[in-house]
Amino acid sequence: MSPTIALVDDDRNILTSVSIALQSEGFTVRVYSDGETALKALLDNPPDLAVLDIKMPRMDGMELLRRLREKSSIPSIFLTSKDDELDEALGLAMGADDYITKPFSQRLLIARIRAILRRTEARATPDDQPDTPAAEKIVRGRLEMDPARHRVQWNGQDVTLTVTEFLILEALAQRPGFVKSRDQLMDTAYQDDVYVDDRTIDSHIKRLRRKFRQVDSEFKAIETLYGVGYRFAEE
């Protein structure tokens, strides 16, 4: 069966255009124009993934996700009309899987949905999928990454990352000391031929550093080689 995606947004143009794009990619789509209507529907008949607008009347996306998380672990992506770091931090802390700022590329949204669904499948227990080997943990000095559970720790402290940030860090940490160019990191983090420019990767690296420095102000493991790319320096 095709994955079911729930879209919750008060902008009917977004509901229509994104629905058409997702359906053309083989997804089943359910749409809701406000959080209150969506809450009961998503709990009664959970989709495989929910795309939630943050700014909505009656019940915003933050409150909707908070109530969903009381009873459900549905994977979710937040949409927002502004690049608000506070909203991002709150959303991820509440259990969102990723965060996309409007206006956004539909191809980018579809790529993020596919990445989260793949990672959700990988988190299935061995009993559920006995023929699927569990992804190996990555341990590099004080860094520990668990791809199967999408979990990152530094010095034993959790660091909450989006799917995109996780994939970039994973690509760097898999081969410490080796330089990854921006193009290589784009290929890793943005699959399905989604185009992004160099500044997008630079922004993700800045956010990665900032999140790690929240648990370790001396964090310097992600190094920049100007004009070349980035590398992970294992201690």
mmCIF file with all atom_site columns, all heavy atoms in Angstrom, residues 150-161:
data_model
loop_
_atom_site.group_PDB
_atom_site.id
_atom_site.type_symbol
_atom_site.label_atom_id
_atom_site.label_alt_id
_atom_site.label_comp_id
_atom_site.label_asym_id
_atom_site.label_entity_id
_atom_site.label_seq_id
_atom_site.pdbx_PDB_ins_code
_atom_site.Cartn_x
_atom_site.Cartn_y
_atom_site.Cartn_z
_atom_site.occupancy
_atom_site.B_iso_or_equiv
_atom_site.pdbx_formal_charge
_atom_site.auth_seq_id
_atom_site.auth_comp_id
_atom_site.auth_asym_id
_atom_site.auth_atom_id
_atom_site.pdbx_PDB_model_num
ATOM 1   N N   . HIS A 1 150 ? 17.732 7.337  14.964 1.00 0.00 ? 150 HIS A N   1
ATOM 2   C CA  . HIS A 1 150 ? 17.911 8.763  14.672 1.00 0.00 ? 150 HIS A CA  1
ATOM 3   C C   . HIS A 1 150 ? 18.289 9.509  15.954 1.00 0.00 ? 150 HIS A C   1
ATOM 4   O O   . HIS A 1 150 ? 17.747 10.559 16.291 1.00 0.00 ? 150 HIS A O   1
ATOM 5   C CB  . HIS A 1 150 ? 16.628 9.347  14.088 1.00 0.00 ? 150 HIS A CB  1
ATOM 6   C CG  . HIS A 1 150 ? 16.796 10.732 13.549 1.00 0.00 ? 150 HIS A CG  1
ATOM 7   N ND1 . HIS A 1 150 ? 17.450 10.999 12.370 1.00 0.00 ? 150 HIS A ND1 1
ATOM 8   C CD2 . HIS A 1 150 ? 16.405 11.934 14.039 1.00 0.00 ? 150 HIS A CD2 1
ATOM 9   C CE1 . HIS A 1 150 ? 17.443 12.297 12.159 1.00 0.00 ? 150 HIS A CE1 1
ATOM 10  N NE2 . HIS A 1 150 ? 16.834 12.898 13.163 1.00 0.00 ? 150 HIS A NE2 1
ATOM 11  N N   . ARG A 1 151 ? 19.269 8.942  16.669 1.00 0.00 ? 151 ARG A N   1
ATOM 12  C CA  . ARG A 1 151 ? 19.674 9.529  17.945 1.00 0.00 ? 151 ARG A CA  1
ATOM 13  C C   . ARG A 1 151 ? 21.138 9.940  17.884 1.00 0.00 ? 151 ARG A C   1
ATOM 14  O O   . ARG A 1 151 ? 21.977 9.207  17.370 1.00 0.00 ? 151 ARG A O   1
ATOM 15  C CB  . ARG A 1 151 ? 19.466 8.537  19.080 1.00 0.00 ? 151 ARG A CB  1
ATOM 16  C CG  . ARG A 1 151 ? 19.739 9.121  20.467 1.00 0.00 ? 151 ARG A CG  1
ATOM 17  C CD  . ARG A 1 151 ? 19.503 8.105  21.565 1.00 0.00 ? 151 ARG A CD  1
ATOM 18  N NE  . ARG A 1 151 ? 19.628 8.701  22.898 1.00 0.00 ? 151 ARG A NE  1
ATOM 19  C CZ  . ARG A 1 151 ? 19.600 8.015  24.018 1.00 0.00 ? 151 ARG A CZ  1
ATOM 20  N NH1 . ARG A 1 151 ? 19.440 6.696  24.003 1.00 0.00 ? 151 ARG A NH1 1
ATOM 21  N NH2 . ARG A 1 151 ? 19.722 8.624  25.191 1.00 0.00 ? 151 ARG A NH2 1
ATOM 22  N N   . VAL A 1 152 ? 21.427 11.123 18.424 1.00 0.00 ? 152 VAL A N   1
ATOM 23  C CA  . VAL A 1 152 ? 22.798 11.646 18.458 1.00 0.00 ? 152 VAL A CA  1
ATOM 24  C C   . VAL A 1 152 ? 23.123 12.058 19.880 1.00 0.00 ? 152 VAL A C   1
ATOM 25  O O   . VAL A 1 152 ? 22.316 12.704 20.559 1.00 0.00 ? 152 VAL A O   1
ATOM 26  C CB  . VAL A 1 152 ? 22.960 12.858 17.520 1.00 0.00 ? 152 VAL A CB  1
ATOM 27  C CG1 . VAL A 1 152 ? 24.379 13.419 17.614 1.00 0.00 ? 152 VAL A CG1 1
ATOM 28  C CG2 . VAL A 1 152 ? 22.635 12.478 16.087 1.00 0.00 ? 152 VAL A CG2 1
ATOM 29  N N   . GLN A 1 153 ? 24.319 11.686 20.327 1.00 0.00 ? 153 GLN A N   1
ATOM 30  C CA  . GLN A 1 153 ? 24.791 12.118 21.642 1.00 0.00 ? 153 GLN A CA  1
ATOM 31  C C   . GLN A 1 153 ? 26.221 12.651 21.526 1.00 0.00 ? 153 GLN A C   1
ATOM 32  O O   . GLN A 1 153 ? 27.026 12.154 20.727 1.00 0.00 ? 153 GLN A O   1
ATOM 33  C CB  . GLN A 1 153 ? 24.761 10.961 22.648 1.00 0.00 ? 153 GLN A CB  1
ATOM 34  C CG  . GLN A 1 153 ? 23.356 10.538 23.050 1.00 0.00 ? 153 GLN A CG  1
ATOM 35  C CD  . GLN A 1 153 ? 23.384 9.531  24.184 1.00 0.00 ? 153 GLN A CD  1
ATOM 36  O OE1 . GLN A 1 153 ? 24.196 8.616  24.206 1.00 0.00 ? 153 GLN A OE1 1
ATOM 37  N NE2 . GLN A 1 153 ? 22.486 9.706  25.149 1.00 0.00 ? 153 GLN A NE2 1
ATOM 38  N N   . TRP A 1 154 ? 26.513 13.647 22.333 1.00 0.00 ? 154 TRP A N   1
ATOM 39  C CA  . TRP A 1 154 ? 27.868 14.184 22.457 1.00 0.00 ? 154 TRP A CA  1
ATOM 40  C C   . TRP A 1 154 ? 28.190 14.246 23.948 1.00 0.00 ? 154 TRP A C   1
ATOM 41  O O   . TRP A 1 154 ? 27.456 14.857 24.715 1.00 0.00 ? 154 TRP A O   1
ATOM 42  C CB  . TRP A 1 154 ? 27.953 15.578 21.831 1.00 0.00 ? 154 TRP A CB  1
ATOM 43  C CG  . TRP A 1 154 ? 29.317 16.195 21.912 1.00 0.00 ? 154 TRP A CG  1
ATOM 44  C CD1 . TRP A 1 154 ? 29.771 17.090 22.836 1.00 0.00 ? 154 TRP A CD1 1
ATOM 45  C CD2 . TRP A 1 154 ? 30.422 15.949 21.035 1.00 0.00 ? 154 TRP A CD2 1
ATOM 46  N NE1 . TRP A 1 154 ? 31.072 17.425 22.592 1.00 0.00 ? 154 TRP A NE1 1
ATOM 47  C CE2 . TRP A 1 154 ? 31.512 16.739 21.488 1.00 0.00 ? 154 TRP A CE2 1
ATOM 48  C CE3 . TRP A 1 154 ? 30.610 15.143 19.918 1.00 0.00 ? 154 TRP A CE3 1
ATOM 49  C CZ2 . TRP A 1 154 ? 32.746 16.741 20.857 1.00 0.00 ? 154 TRP A CZ2 1
ATOM 50  C CZ3 . TRP A 1 154 ? 31.850 15.153 19.285 1.00 0.00 ? 154 TRP A CZ3 1
ATOM 51  C CH2 . TRP A 1 154 ? 32.896 15.942 19.750 1.00 0.00 ? 154 TRP A CH2 1
ATOM 52  N N   . ASN A 1 155 ? 29.256 13.575 24.333 1.00 0.00 ? 155 ASN A N   1
ATOM 53  C CA  . ASN A 1 155 ? 29.590 13.495 25.760 1.00 0.00 ? 155 ASN A CA  1
ATOM 54  C C   . ASN A 1 155 ? 28.440 12.898 26.574 1.00 0.00 ? 155 ASN A C   1
ATOM 55  O O   . ASN A 1 155 ? 28.215 13.282 27.720 1.00 0.00 ? 155 ASN A O   1
ATOM 56  C CB  . ASN A 1 155 ? 29.927 14.876 26.330 1.00 0.00 ? 155 ASN A CB  1
ATOM 57  C CG  . ASN A 1 155 ? 31.406 15.197 26.168 1.00 0.00 ? 155 ASN A CG  1
ATOM 58  O OD1 . ASN A 1 155 ? 32.218 14.317 25.897 1.00 0.00 ? 155 ASN A OD1 1
ATOM 59  N ND2 . ASN A 1 155 ? 31.740 16.457 26.330 1.00 0.00 ? 155 ASN A ND2 1
ATOM 60  N N   . GLY A 1 156 ? 27.682 12.006 25.953 1.00 0.00 ? 156 GLY A N   1
ATOM 61  C CA  . GLY A 1 156 ? 26.564 11.379 26.649 1.00 0.00 ? 156 GLY A CA  1
ATOM 62  C C   . GLY A 1 156 ? 25.315 12.222 26.716 1.00 0.00 ? 156 GLY A C   1
ATOM 63  O O   . GLY A 1 156 ? 24.308 11.787 27.292 1.00 0.00 ? 156 GLY A O   1
ATOM 64  N N   . GLN A 1 157 ? 25.330 13.425 26.126 1.00 0.00 ? 157 GLN A N   1
ATOM 65  C CA  . GLN A 1 157 ? 24.163 14.301 26.131 1.00 0.00 ? 157 GLN A CA  1
ATOM 66  C C   . GLN A 1 157 ? 23.484 14.281 24.765 1.00 0.00 ? 157 GLN A C   1
ATOM 67  O O   . GLN A 1 157 ? 24.150 14.337 23.727 1.00 0.00 ? 157 GLN A O   1
ATOM 68  C CB  . GLN A 1 157 ? 24.561 15.734 26.483 1.00 0.00 ? 157 GLN A CB  1
ATOM 69  C CG  . GLN A 1 157 ? 25.173 15.881 27.870 1.00 0.00 ? 157 GLN A CG  1
ATOM 70  C CD  . GLN A 1 157 ? 25.420 17.335 28.213 1.00 0.00 ? 157 GLN A CD  1
ATOM 71  O OE1 . GLN A 1 157 ? 24.493 18.126 28.366 1.00 0.00 ? 157 GLN A OE1 1
ATOM 72  N NE2 . GLN A 1 157 ? 26.691 17.703 28.320 1.00 0.00 ? 157 GLN A NE2 1
ATOM 73  N N   . ASP A 1 158 ? 22.157 14.213 24.768 1.00 0.00 ? 158 ASP A N   1
ATOM 74  C CA  . ASP A 1 158 ? 21.401 14.166 23.522 1.00 0.00 ? 158 ASP A CA  1
ATOM 75  C C   . ASP A 1 158 ? 21.507 15.482 22.762 1.00 0.00 ? 158 ASP A C   1
ATOM 76  O O   . ASP A 1 158 ? 21.462 16.563 23.361 1.00 0.00 ? 158 ASP A O   1
ATOM 77  C CB  . ASP A 1 158 ? 19.925 13.864 23.801 1.00 0.00 ? 158 ASP A CB  1
ATOM 78  C CG  . ASP A 1 158 ? 19.698 12.424 24.223 1.00 0.00 ? 158 ASP A CG  1
ATOM 79  O OD1 . ASP A 1 158 ? 20.480 11.548 23.811 1.00 0.00 ? 158 ASP A OD1 1
ATOM 80  O OD2 . ASP A 1 158 ? 18.726 12.173 24.967 1.00 0.00 ? 158 ASP A OD2 1
ATOM 81  N N   . VAL A 1 159 ? 21.633 15.369 21.442 1.00 0.00 ? 159 VAL A N   1
ATOM 82  C CA  . VAL A 1 159 ? 21.612 16.516 20.542 1.00 0.00 ? 159 VAL A CA  1
ATOM 83  C C   . VAL A 1 159 ? 20.507 16.254 19.523 1.00 0.00 ? 159 VAL A C   1
ATOM 84  O O   . VAL A 1 159 ? 20.578 15.271 18.781 1.00 0.00 ? 159 VAL A O   1
ATOM 85  C CB  . VAL A 1 159 ? 22.958 16.709 19.829 1.00 0.00 ? 159 VAL A CB  1
ATOM 86  C CG1 . VAL A 1 159 ? 22.904 17.941 18.922 1.00 0.00 ? 159 VAL A CG1 1
ATOM 87  C CG2 . VAL A 1 159 ? 24.099 16.832 20.828 1.00 0.00 ? 159 VAL A CG2 1
ATOM 88  N N   . THR A 1 160 ? 19.492 17.099 19.489 1.00 0.00 ? 160 THR A N   1
ATOM 89  C CA  . THR A 1 160 ? 18.344 16.880 18.617 1.00 0.00 ? 160 THR A CA  1
ATOM 90  C C   . THR A 1 160 ? 18.596 17.490 17.248 1.00 0.00 ? 160 THR A C   1
ATOM 91  O O   . THR A 1 160 ? 18.828 18.691 17.123 1.00 0.00 ? 160 THR A O   1
ATOM 92  C CB  . THR A 1 160 ? 17.073 17.508 19.225 1.00 0.00 ? 160 THR A CB  1
ATOM 93  O OG1 . THR A 1 160 ? 16.851 16.938 20.519 1.00 0.00 ? 160 THR A OG1 1
ATOM 94  C CG2 . THR A 1 160 ? 15.863 17.202 18.348 1.00 0.00 ? 160 THR A CG2 1
ATOM 95  N N   . LEU A 1 161 ? 18.563 16.633 16.203 1.00 0.00 ? 161 LEU A N   1
ATOM 96  C CA  . LEU A 1 161 ? 18.834 17.078 14.843 1.00 0.00 ? 161 LEU A CA  1
ATOM 97  C C   . LEU A 1 161 ? 17.655 16.774 13.928 1.00 0.00 ? 161 LEU A C   1
ATOM 98  O O   . LEU A 1 161 ? 16.914 15.819 14.152 1.00 0.00 ? 161 LEU A O   1
ATOM 99  C CB  . LEU A 1 161 ? 20.077 16.379 14.278 1.00 0.00 ? 161 LEU A CB  1
ATOM 100 C CG  . LEU A 1 161 ? 21.388 16.510 15.057 1.00 0.00 ? 161 LEU A CG  1
ATOM 101 C CD1 . LEU A 1 161 ? 22.499 15.768 14.316 1.00 0.00 ? 161 LEU A CD1 1
ATOM 102 C CD2 . LEU A 1 161 ? 21.770 17.964 15.268 1.00 0.00 ? 161 LEU A CD2 1
#
